[in-house]
Amino acid sequence: GTYNGITVTGTSSGITHSTGVSLTVNAPAPIALTASGYKVKGLQKADLSWTGATGSVDVYRNGSRIAASITVSPYTDNIDQRGSGSYTYRVCESGGTTTCSNDATVTF
């Protein structure tokens, strides 16, 4: 969050000077997400695991929601594509909140 109204005071050679500052602290993502990819009979799959969510989550792959209101970790994304590819995942608490995880990328 951003903190306003903080005053910094310095004194040197008997002279005192004060100034107001604004401090911004970027907290780490409240939900920690890990992802691992593997193939079954040549078809891509990704296992997602997370901690820190207070309820159900929506799962996003490459910015698009692929699953809603998932209550159990881990979750398997059956991509079911062959060959190579790269997918970036994120989970966010359901209900339109902005509480989301870090991005986790799986590359085949």
Side-chain angles (χ1 to χ4, degrees), residues 30-32 50-57 70-71 91-94 99:
I31 303 172
W50 61 89
T51 59
T54 59
S56 64
V57 300
I70 303 300
T71 58
V91 296
C92 298
E93 288 188 349
S94 301
T99 303

mmCIF file of all heavy atoms in Angstrom, residues 30-32 50-57 70-71 91-94 99:
data_model
loop_
_atom_site.group_PDB
_atom_site.id
_atom_site.type_symbol
_atom_site.label_atom_id
_atom_site.label_comp_id
_atom_site.label_asym_id
_atom_site.label_seq_id
_atom_site.Cartn_x
_atom_site.Cartn_y
_atom_site.Cartn_z
ATOM 1 N N PRO A 30 -0.333 -12.529 -2.449
ATOM 2 C CA PRO A 30 -0.843 -13.242 -1.282
ATOM 3 C C PRO A 30 -1.085 -14.729 -1.547
ATOM 4 O O PRO A 30 -1.180 -15.512 -0.626
ATOM 5 C CB PRO A 30 -2.148 -12.524 -0.968
ATOM 6 C CG PRO A 30 -2.542 -11.864 -2.232
ATOM 7 C CD PRO A 30 -1.278 -11.558 -2.965
ATOM 8 N N ILE A 31 -1.193 -15.113 -2.826
ATOM 9 C CA ILE A 31 -1.380 -16.516 -3.169
ATOM 10 C C ILE A 31 -0.113 -16.986 -3.877
ATOM 11 O O ILE A 31 0.337 -16.357 -4.830
ATOM 12 C CB ILE A 31 -2.598 -16.712 -4.091
ATOM 13 C CG1 ILE A 31 -3.868 -16.156 -3.424
ATOM 14 C CG2 ILE A 31 -2.779 -18.181 -4.446
ATOM 15 C CD1 ILE A 31 -5.080 -16.135 -4.331
ATOM 16 N N ALA A 32 0.474 -18.065 -3.400
ATOM 17 C CA ALA A 32 1.702 -18.605 -3.996
ATOM 18 C C ALA A 32 1.326 -19.768 -4.916
ATOM 19 O O ALA A 32 0.726 -20.743 -4.470
ATOM 20 C CB ALA A 32 2.661 -19.070 -2.912
ATOM 21 N N TRP A 50 -1.393 -24.310 -5.207
ATOM 22 C CA TRP A 50 -1.310 -22.980 -4.608
ATOM 23 C C TRP A 50 -1.606 -23.046 -3.115
ATOM 24 O O TRP A 50 -2.235 -23.952 -2.617
ATOM 25 C CB TRP A 50 -2.279 -22.013 -5.305
ATOM 26 C CG TRP A 50 -3.717 -22.425 -5.213
ATOM 27 C CD1 TRP A 50 -4.618 -22.111 -4.238
ATOM 28 C CD2 TRP A 50 -4.427 -23.258 -6.139
ATOM 29 N NE1 TRP A 50 -5.834 -22.692 -4.487
ATOM 30 C CE2 TRP A 50 -5.755 -23.398 -5.660
ATOM 31 C CE3 TRP A 50 -4.081 -23.905 -7.323
ATOM 32 C CZ2 TRP A 50 -6.702 -24.140 -6.329
ATOM 33 C CZ3 TRP A 50 -5.043 -24.649 -7.976
ATOM 34 C CH2 TRP A 50 -6.341 -24.762 -7.486
ATOM 35 N N THR A 51 -1.117 -22.025 -2.430
ATOM 36 C CA THR A 51 -1.398 -21.815 -1.011
ATOM 37 C C THR A 51 -1.731 -20.349 -0.811
ATOM 38 O O THR A 51 -1.315 -19.500 -1.602
ATOM 39 C CB THR A 51 -0.196 -22.185 -0.122
ATOM 40 O OG1 THR A 51 0.933 -21.386 -0.510
ATOM 41 C CG2 THR A 51 0.155 -23.664 -0.240
ATOM 42 N N GLY A 52 -2.478 -20.042 0.229
ATOM 43 C CA GLY A 52 -2.757 -18.654 0.584
ATOM 44 C C GLY A 52 -4.123 -18.153 0.174
ATOM 45 O O GLY A 52 -4.510 -17.055 0.561
ATOM 46 N N ALA A 53 -4.877 -18.913 -0.597
ATOM 47 C CA ALA A 53 -6.226 -18.479 -0.986
ATOM 48 C C ALA A 53 -7.170 -18.713 0.185
ATOM 49 O O ALA A 53 -7.064 -19.709 0.890
ATOM 50 C CB ALA A 53 -6.704 -19.244 -2.214
ATOM 51 N N THR A 54 -8.102 -17.791 0.395
ATOM 52 C CA THR A 54 -9.028 -17.913 1.517
ATOM 53 C C THR A 54 -10.318 -18.623 1.136
ATOM 54 O O THR A 54 -11.143 -18.903 1.985
ATOM 55 C CB THR A 54 -9.369 -16.533 2.102
ATOM 56 O OG1 THR A 54 -9.954 -15.736 1.067
ATOM 57 C CG2 THR A 54 -8.124 -15.851 2.647
ATOM 58 N N GLY A 55 -10.499 -18.896 -0.149
ATOM 59 C CA GLY A 55 -11.708 -19.592 -0.601
ATOM 60 C C GLY A 55 -11.430 -20.220 -1.952
ATOM 61 O O GLY A 55 -10.311 -20.618 -2.241
ATOM 62 N N SER A 56 -12.452 -20.269 -2.794
ATOM 63 C CA SER A 56 -12.276 -20.852 -4.114
ATOM 64 C C SER A 56 -11.516 -19.876 -5.019
ATOM 65 O O SER A 56 -11.459 -18.674 -4.761
ATOM 66 C CB SER A 56 -13.633 -21.202 -4.723
ATOM 67 O OG SER A 56 -14.391 -20.027 -4.935
ATOM 68 N N VAL A 57 -10.920 -20.422 -6.085
ATOM 69 C CA VAL A 57 -10.152 -19.612 -7.025
ATOM 70 C C VAL A 57 -10.638 -19.860 -8.442
ATOM 71 O O VAL A 57 -11.231 -20.893 -8.757
ATOM 72 C CB VAL A 57 -8.631 -19.903 -6.952
ATOM 73 C CG1 VAL A 57 -8.091 -19.606 -5.562
ATOM 74 C CG2 VAL A 57 -8.313 -21.327 -7.374
ATOM 75 N N ILE A 70 -12.721 -23.147 -8.205
ATOM 76 C CA ILE A 70 -11.994 -24.359 -7.853
ATOM 77 C C ILE A 70 -11.659 -24.281 -6.370
ATOM 78 O O ILE A 70 -11.092 -23.300 -5.904
ATOM 79 C CB ILE A 70 -10.705 -24.501 -8.693
ATOM 80 C CG1 ILE A 70 -11.036 -24.489 -10.180
ATOM 81 C CG2 ILE A 70 -9.945 -25.766 -8.306
ATOM 82 C CD1 ILE A 70 -11.955 -25.575 -10.640
ATOM 83 N N THR A 71 -12.022 -25.317 -5.617
ATOM 84 C CA THR A 71 -11.835 -25.279 -4.171
ATOM 85 C C THR A 71 -10.709 -26.175 -3.682
ATOM 86 O O THR A 71 -10.360 -26.123 -2.507
ATOM 87 C CB THR A 71 -13.134 -25.692 -3.447
ATOM 88 O OG1 THR A 71 -13.499 -26.998 -3.887
ATOM 89 C CG2 THR A 71 -14.260 -24.704 -3.733
ATOM 90 N N VAL A 91 -3.838 -17.813 -10.579
ATOM 91 C CA VAL A 91 -5.113 -18.077 -9.922
ATOM 92 C C VAL A 91 -5.501 -16.835 -9.131
ATOM 93 O O VAL A 91 -4.649 -16.145 -8.566
ATOM 94 C CB VAL A 91 -5.073 -19.334 -9.004
ATOM 95 C CG1 VAL A 91 -4.813 -20.583 -9.822
ATOM 96 C CG2 VAL A 91 -4.072 -19.201 -7.891
ATOM 97 N N CYS A 92 -6.803 -16.535 -9.140
ATOM 98 C CA CYS A 92 -7.335 -15.385 -8.400
ATOM 99 C C CYS A 92 -8.524 -15.858 -7.579
ATOM 100 O O CYS A 92 -9.284 -16.731 -8.029
ATOM 101 C CB CYS A 92 -7.784 -14.289 -9.363
ATOM 102 S SG CYS A 92 -6.466 -13.607 -10.382
ATOM 103 N N GLU A 93 -8.680 -15.284 -6.399
ATOM 104 C CA GLU A 93 -9.825 -15.642 -5.576
ATOM 105 C C GLU A 93 -11.103 -15.335 -6.345
ATOM 106 O O GLU A 93 -11.214 -14.306 -7.012
ATOM 107 C CB GLU A 93 -9.792 -14.896 -4.239
ATOM 108 C CG GLU A 93 -8.697 -15.428 -3.332
ATOM 109 C CD GLU A 93 -8.744 -14.855 -1.925
ATOM 110 O OE1 GLU A 93 -9.497 -13.893 -1.682
ATOM 111 O OE2 GLU A 93 -8.013 -15.385 -1.073
ATOM 112 N N SER A 94 -12.055 -16.259 -6.282
ATOM 113 C CA SER A 94 -13.322 -16.106 -7.005
ATOM 114 C C SER A 94 -14.127 -14.946 -6.448
ATOM 115 O O SER A 94 -13.920 -14.514 -5.318
ATOM 116 C CB SER A 94 -14.137 -17.400 -6.903
ATOM 117 O OG SER A 94 -13.418 -18.477 -7.450
ATOM 118 N N THR A 99 -7.378 -10.278 -5.661
ATOM 119 C CA THR A 99 -6.381 -11.060 -4.938
ATOM 120 C C THR A 99 -5.953 -12.224 -5.816
ATOM 121 O O THR A 99 -6.716 -13.161 -6.030
ATOM 122 C CB THR A 99 -6.953 -11.564 -3.604
ATOM 123 O OG1 THR A 99 -7.401 -10.442 -2.836
ATOM 124 C CG2 THR A 99 -5.898 -12.325 -2.813
#
